[in-house]
Amino acid sequence: MSRNIREVATRLLATREHSSAELFRKLVQKGFAQPDVQRLITQLQQENLLSDDRFIESFIRSRQQRGVGPIRIQAELRQHDFADEEIRPVLDASAQGWLRLAQQVRQKKFGAVIPRDYEEKVRQMRFLEYRGFSHEQIRIIIELADEIA
């Protein structure tokens, strides 16, 4: 295995976490042979320099900071070739914060006042749905906000 391939991989991993599949694709695109790339990925995983679990956690954290909800995050992680069984436990571990995040996202966009007007409620609900929050989370934020406050 070429020393060059490890240097390229290390440089990529130094900038941010990568999934195994993502690192594999990038290294193959750079012209490295697939068997060499696979051996390197296995080696990096054994050295704990590459971790799909760490990537998932980092990905979820970064999306949460951008105000993205669990449904959209799960869809994005599926595009990174992760199965629901790998994603769900990490999303569930963050479950306590989803309502708070949905409320913060709504307030940042629309202000603190909960709308009374049906059309405005629907508009805000659509916005939260686009951001990836579940119908239940949205219902609690919009419909039950008076009871929470």
Side-chain angles (χ1 to χ4, degrees), residues 30-136:
K30 290 186 180 290
F32 296 108
Q34 288 185 9
D36 291 341
V37 172
Q38 193 55 57
R39 273 194 300 277
L40 176 67
I41 285 176
T42 302
Q43 185 179 19
L44 292 171
Q45 287 171 328
Q46 289 170 347
E47 296 170 11
N48 203 27
L49 295 173
L50 179 66
S51 166
D52 284 342
D53 292 339
R54 206 169 47 229
F55 172 81
I56 291 171
E57 291 170 6
S58 172
F59 188 90
I60 290 172
R61 223 178 5 264
S62 86
R63 292 307 187 271
Q64 283 176 321
Q65 290 171 348
R66 294 181 187 172
V68 178
I71 294 171
R72 189 164 165 191
I73 291 172
Q74 186 172 12
E76 290 176 6
L77 281 168
R78 282 185 194 134
Q79 292 176 344
H80 281 272
D81 300 326
F82 288 106
D84 288 343
E85 300 80 44
E86 297 170 285
I87 302 166
R88 189 53 52 203
V90 185
L91 282 177
D92 290 346
S94 308
Q96 296 298 320
W98 293 120
L99 271 178
R100 191 172 343 106
L101 180 61
Q103 189 171 21
Q104 290 169 350
V105 168
R106 194 206 67 75
Q107 283 182 353
K108 183 177 179 184
K109 175 80 173 171
F110 300 106
V113 177
I114 298 294
R116 300 273 178 234
D117 178 46
Y118 175 77
E119 289 176 11
E120 182 59 22
K121 278 186 182 182
V122 170
R123 186 170 87 92
Q124 291 186 21
M125 291 169 86
R126 246 185 274 130
F127 171 75
L128 290 170
E129 184 177 27
Y130 166 76
R131 285 311 267 293
F133 295 99
S134 72
H135 292 289
E136 182 64 19

Side-chain angles (χ1 to χ4, degrees), residues 11-22:
R11 209 169 324 131
L12 287 169
L13 290 171
T15 59
R16 68 171 178 82
E17 292 288 342
H18 286 69
S19 68
S20 302
E22 182 181 27

